[in-house]
Amino acid sequence: MRIKSAKELTPGTRLTVKLEVVEPQASLSLTAIVVESKEVSGGHSALVSFDDEHAKQQLESFILGADPSEAARNVEPARRPLVLAVIDDSELQRGIASAPFLARGDTVLTANDGLAGLALCLQREPDVVLSDVQMPKADGWQLLRMLRAREALKHVPIIFLTTLSGEEDRLRGYRLGVDDYLAKPYSPDVLMARVDRVAQRKKVGAHSLAPGATNSLKGDLEHVSLPALLGFLEMERKSGILHLEPAGSVIQLRDGRPIRAKSPLNDSANKGEQAIFELLDQSRGRFEFVPSEIEGPDSIQMPLGFILMEHARLSDERAKHAPG
């Protein structure tokens, strides 16, 4: 694409590209980013990229001869640039976390400890907070508590970028209200996907598997296994309902002991021990535990320890009889 301009078009520059055809008359304007630029005789040549998926869909429809106005109606509105707070005592790590978002046009605010990060968020509410855990003055845990204690900031999604990998540490974070974890080192694409996911949840209000619940414990089974979560709830002698994905999967606990379970995976009427065995096979998806009084008869008679041992035995049996 040839662009005549007195201005130097350096890589990373965003510009609007207008495409026109004479017959049938149609035009389409899209935002692009300069990938490469160089001087040529009589002007300036720039290679641009349409890095937005919706823009690519519009461009494809336009090239194939579709009405661009019709293409626009079938495409979601352009993504609003995000405001992110990146908090880490390492300048290098702040740069690594910030780079992919700056490249796509988001606003990134940075701080080198939890106290400075809190001040940053009070000055301008971010869409998402990315924070290290181990920092001077105020660490990630303290920052999390301070943000959740403030009415204006308590719903801001927080992702910990950390080297901590133990389930105990992650459960602690979920108890305090962290939204997600990402272990260092990480892929920029994975980081952006996680940020976009929690930002979208905030936008549509999809924070909870149990709408209306308060004082719940929620997180991701990718970071804390279901056996570890059940063990924690048993140790704490918690009573309530553990909601799992897919929707409709629940385990009811009284004083930390599972007494009823329901799994929609195979049989919607499955509410006993077989259901909890099916749920224990899950290693991905969100969870949310809502404390409450649990009444009624017990459908599950085995203690948690026996449930976990029996599930392990059944898993071994399946592995032995699996093809290959």
Side-chain angles (χ1 to χ4, degrees), residues 171-199:
L171 269 170
R172 179 186 178 190
Y174 285 137
R175 289 179 71 186
L176 294 174
V178 76
D179 291 86
D180 204 349
Y181 278 90
L182 191 57
K184 297 176 181 177
Y186 46 79
S187 159
D189 290 339
V190 171
L191 176 61
M192 288 193 292
R194 296 288 184 89
V195 165
D196 290 343
R197 182 176 69 177
V198 297

Short mmCIF file of all heavy atoms in Angstrom, two decimals, residues 171-199:
data_model
loop_
_atom_site.label_atom_id
_atom_site.label_comp_id
_atom_site.label_asym_id
_atom_site.label_seq_id
_atom_site.Cartn_x
_atom_site.Cartn_y
_atom_site.Cartn_z
N LEU A 171 -5.03 -20.37 46.92
CA LEU A 171 -6.27 -20.33 47.70
C LEU A 171 -6.33 -19.07 48.56
O LEU A 171 -7.38 -18.46 48.71
CB LEU A 171 -6.37 -21.58 48.57
CG LEU A 171 -7.08 -22.78 47.96
CD1 LEU A 171 -6.90 -24.01 48.82
CD2 LEU A 171 -8.56 -22.49 47.75
N ARG A 172 -5.19 -18.70 49.12
CA ARG A 172 -5.14 -17.47 49.91
C ARG A 172 -5.55 -16.28 49.07
O ARG A 172 -6.33 -15.42 49.51
CB ARG A 172 -3.73 -17.27 50.46
CG ARG A 172 -3.57 -16.00 51.28
CD ARG A 172 -2.11 -15.80 51.67
NE ARG A 172 -1.93 -14.56 52.42
CZ ARG A 172 -0.75 -14.04 52.72
NH1 ARG A 172 0.36 -14.66 52.34
NH2 ARG A 172 -0.67 -12.90 53.39
N GLY A 173 -5.03 -16.21 47.83
CA GLY A 173 -5.39 -15.11 46.95
C GLY A 173 -6.86 -15.11 46.61
O GLY A 173 -7.52 -14.06 46.61
N TYR A 174 -7.41 -16.28 46.32
CA TYR A 174 -8.84 -16.37 46.00
C TYR A 174 -9.71 -15.98 47.19
O TYR A 174 -10.76 -15.37 47.04
CB TYR A 174 -9.20 -17.76 45.51
CG TYR A 174 -8.73 -18.04 44.09
CD1 TYR A 174 -8.15 -19.27 43.75
CD2 TYR A 174 -8.88 -17.09 43.10
CE1 TYR A 174 -7.74 -19.53 42.45
CE2 TYR A 174 -8.46 -17.34 41.80
CZ TYR A 174 -7.90 -18.56 41.48
OH TYR A 174 -7.49 -18.80 40.20
N ARG A 175 -9.26 -16.33 48.39
CA ARG A 175 -10.00 -15.94 49.59
C ARG A 175 -10.05 -14.42 49.72
O ARG A 175 -11.05 -13.86 50.19
CB ARG A 175 -9.36 -16.53 50.84
CG ARG A 175 -9.52 -18.03 50.98
CD ARG A 175 -8.82 -18.54 52.23
NE ARG A 175 -9.49 -18.12 53.45
CZ ARG A 175 -9.02 -18.34 54.67
NH1 ARG A 175 -7.85 -18.94 54.83
NH2 ARG A 175 -9.71 -17.96 55.73
N LEU A 176 -8.98 -13.75 49.30
CA LEU A 176 -8.92 -12.29 49.40
C LEU A 176 -9.58 -11.59 48.21
O LEU A 176 -9.81 -10.38 48.26
CB LEU A 176 -7.47 -11.83 49.52
CG LEU A 176 -6.74 -12.25 50.80
CD1 LEU A 176 -5.27 -11.85 50.74
CD2 LEU A 176 -7.40 -11.61 52.02
N GLY A 177 -9.88 -12.33 47.14
CA GLY A 177 -10.61 -11.75 46.03
C GLY A 177 -9.84 -11.52 44.75
O GLY A 177 -10.26 -10.72 43.91
N VAL A 178 -8.69 -12.22 44.55
CA VAL A 178 -7.98 -12.09 43.28
C VAL A 178 -8.81 -12.75 42.18
O VAL A 178 -9.55 -13.71 42.44
CB VAL A 178 -6.57 -12.71 43.37
CG1 VAL A 178 -6.62 -14.22 43.33
CG2 VAL A 178 -5.67 -12.18 42.27
N ASP A 179 -8.72 -12.25 40.96
CA ASP A 179 -9.52 -12.78 39.86
C ASP A 179 -8.81 -13.85 39.05
O ASP A 179 -9.45 -14.74 38.50
CB ASP A 179 -9.94 -11.64 38.91
CG ASP A 179 -10.94 -10.70 39.56
OD1 ASP A 179 -10.50 -9.76 40.25
OD2 ASP A 179 -12.15 -10.93 39.41
N ASP A 180 -7.48 -13.76 38.95
CA ASP A 180 -6.76 -14.74 38.13
C ASP A 180 -5.29 -14.73 38.52
O ASP A 180 -4.80 -13.80 39.17
CB ASP A 180 -6.92 -14.39 36.64
CG ASP A 180 -6.74 -15.60 35.73
OD1 ASP A 180 -6.30 -16.66 36.21
OD2 ASP A 180 -7.03 -15.48 34.53
N TYR A 181 -4.61 -15.80 38.12
CA TYR A 181 -3.17 -15.93 38.31
C TYR A 181 -2.52 -16.19 36.97
O TYR A 181 -3.10 -16.86 36.12
CB TYR A 181 -2.85 -17.12 39.22
CG TYR A 181 -2.96 -16.87 40.69
CD1 TYR A 181 -4.17 -17.09 41.35
CD2 TYR A 181 -1.87 -16.45 41.42
CE1 TYR A 181 -4.27 -16.89 42.72
CE2 TYR A 181 -1.97 -16.24 42.79
CZ TYR A 181 -3.17 -16.47 43.43
OH TYR A 181 -3.27 -16.25 44.78
N LEU A 182 -1.30 -15.70 36.81
CA LEU A 182 -0.51 -16.05 35.64
C LEU A 182 0.94 -16.19 36.10
O LEU A 182 1.51 -15.25 36.67
CB LEU A 182 -0.63 -14.99 34.55
CG LEU A 182 -0.06 -15.37 33.18
CD1 LEU A 182 -0.70 -16.64 32.65
CD2 LEU A 182 -0.29 -14.24 32.19
N ALA A 183 1.49 -17.38 35.87
CA ALA A 183 2.84 -17.64 36.34
C ALA A 183 3.88 -17.00 35.43
O ALA A 183 3.74 -17.02 34.21
CB ALA A 183 3.07 -19.15 36.43
N LYS A 184 4.91 -16.43 36.03
CA LYS A 184 6.05 -15.91 35.28
C LYS A 184 7.00 -17.05 34.95
O LYS A 184 7.20 -17.92 35.80
CB LYS A 184 6.81 -14.86 36.09
CG LYS A 184 6.01 -13.61 36.44
CD LYS A 184 6.87 -12.70 37.33
CE LYS A 184 6.12 -11.44 37.74
NZ LYS A 184 6.92 -10.59 38.65
N PRO A 185 7.61 -17.07 33.78
CA PRO A 185 7.38 -16.21 32.61
C PRO A 185 6.11 -16.62 31.88
O PRO A 185 5.66 -17.76 31.98
CB PRO A 185 8.62 -16.46 31.75
CG PRO A 185 9.01 -17.87 32.07
CD PRO A 185 8.67 -18.07 33.53
N TYR A 186 5.54 -15.70 31.13
CA TYR A 186 4.27 -15.95 30.45
C TYR A 186 4.36 -15.44 29.02
O TYR A 186 5.21 -14.62 28.67
CB TYR A 186 3.12 -15.26 31.18
CG TYR A 186 3.42 -13.84 31.56
CD1 TYR A 186 3.35 -12.81 30.62
CD2 TYR A 186 3.81 -13.53 32.85
CE1 TYR A 186 3.65 -11.52 30.96
CE2 TYR A 186 4.12 -12.22 33.20
CZ TYR A 186 4.03 -11.22 32.26
OH TYR A 186 4.35 -9.93 32.59
N SER A 187 3.44 -15.91 28.20
CA SER A 187 3.35 -15.45 26.81
C SER A 187 2.54 -14.15 26.76
O SER A 187 1.50 -14.05 27.42
CB SER A 187 2.68 -16.52 25.95
OG SER A 187 2.13 -15.97 24.78
N PRO A 188 2.99 -13.15 25.98
CA PRO A 188 2.19 -11.92 25.84
C PRO A 188 0.77 -12.19 25.35
O PRO A 188 -0.17 -11.54 25.80
CB PRO A 188 2.98 -11.09 24.82
CG PRO A 188 4.38 -11.59 24.94
CD PRO A 188 4.27 -13.05 25.25
N ASP A 189 0.60 -13.17 24.45
CA ASP A 189 -0.73 -13.48 23.94
C ASP A 189 -1.62 -14.04 25.04
O ASP A 189 -2.81 -13.71 25.12
CB ASP A 189 -0.63 -14.50 22.79
CG ASP A 189 -0.02 -13.90 21.54
OD1 ASP A 189 -0.06 -12.66 21.40
OD2 ASP A 189 0.48 -14.66 20.70
N VAL A 190 -1.05 -14.89 25.90
CA VAL A 190 -1.82 -15.45 27.02
C VAL A 190 -2.19 -14.34 27.99
O VAL A 190 -3.33 -14.28 28.48
CB VAL A 190 -1.03 -16.56 27.73
CG1 VAL A 190 -1.73 -17.00 29.01
CG2 VAL A 190 -0.83 -17.76 26.80
N LEU A 191 -1.25 -13.45 28.27
CA LEU A 191 -1.53 -12.33 29.18
C LEU A 191 -2.68 -11.47 28.65
O LEU A 191 -3.61 -11.13 29.38
CB LEU A 191 -0.28 -11.49 29.37
CG LEU A 191 -0.44 -10.22 30.22
CD1 LEU A 191 -0.89 -10.58 31.63
CD2 LEU A 191 0.86 -9.42 30.24
N MET A 192 -2.63 -11.12 27.37
CA MET A 192 -3.69 -10.29 26.79
C MET A 192 -5.04 -11.02 26.82
O MET A 192 -6.07 -10.40 27.09
CB MET A 192 -3.33 -9.88 25.37
CG MET A 192 -2.22 -8.83 25.31
SD MET A 192 -2.04 -8.07 23.67
CE MET A 192 -1.43 -9.47 22.73
N ALA A 193 -5.03 -12.32 26.57
CA ALA A 193 -6.27 -13.09 26.60
C ALA A 193 -6.87 -13.11 28.01
O ALA A 193 -8.08 -12.95 28.17
CB ALA A 193 -6.02 -14.52 26.12
N ARG A 194 -6.02 -13.27 29.03
CA ARG A 194 -6.51 -13.26 30.41
C ARG A 194 -7.07 -11.90 30.79
O ARG A 194 -8.12 -11.80 31.43
CB ARG A 194 -5.37 -13.63 31.37
CG ARG A 194 -4.81 -15.04 31.20
CD ARG A 194 -5.76 -16.11 31.69
NE ARG A 194 -5.15 -17.42 31.60
CZ ARG A 194 -4.43 -18.00 32.55
NH1 ARG A 194 -4.22 -17.36 33.68
NH2 ARG A 194 -3.92 -19.20 32.37
N VAL A 195 -6.37 -10.84 30.41
CA VAL A 195 -6.83 -9.48 30.71
C VAL A 195 -8.17 -9.21 30.03
O VAL A 195 -9.11 -8.69 30.65
CB VAL A 195 -5.77 -8.45 30.29
CG1 VAL A 195 -6.37 -7.03 30.26
CG2 VAL A 195 -4.58 -8.49 31.22
N ASP A 196 -8.26 -9.54 28.75
CA ASP A 196 -9.50 -9.31 28.01
C ASP A 196 -10.66 -10.10 28.62
O ASP A 196 -11.80 -9.63 28.65
CB ASP A 196 -9.33 -9.66 26.54
CG ASP A 196 -8.41 -8.69 25.81
OD1 ASP A 196 -8.18 -7.59 26.35
OD2 ASP A 196 -7.93 -9.03 24.72
N ARG A 197 -10.35 -11.32 29.11
CA ARG A 197 -11.41 -12.16 29.69
C ARG A 197 -11.97 -11.53 30.96
O ARG A 197 -13.19 -11.42 31.11
CB ARG A 197 -10.86 -13.56 30.00
CG ARG A 197 -11.91 -14.50 30.58
CD ARG A 197 -11.36 -15.90 30.78
NE ARG A 197 -10.37 -15.93 31.85
CZ ARG A 197 -9.77 -17.04 32.27
NH1 ARG A 197 -10.03 -18.20 31.68
NH2 ARG A 197 -8.88 -16.99 33.24
N VAL A 198 -11.10 -11.10 31.89
CA VAL A 198 -11.61 -10.53 33.13
C VAL A 198 -12.25 -9.17 32.89
O VAL A 198 -13.21 -8.79 33.57
CB VAL A 198 -10.51 -10.45 34.22
CG1 VAL A 198 -10.02 -11.84 34.59
CG2 VAL A 198 -9.36 -9.55 33.81
N ALA A 199 -11.72 -8.42 31.91
CA ALA A 199 -12.32 -7.13 31.59
C ALA A 199 -13.73 -7.31 31.02
O ALA A 199 -14.64 -6.54 31.32
CB ALA A 199 -11.44 -6.36 30.60
#
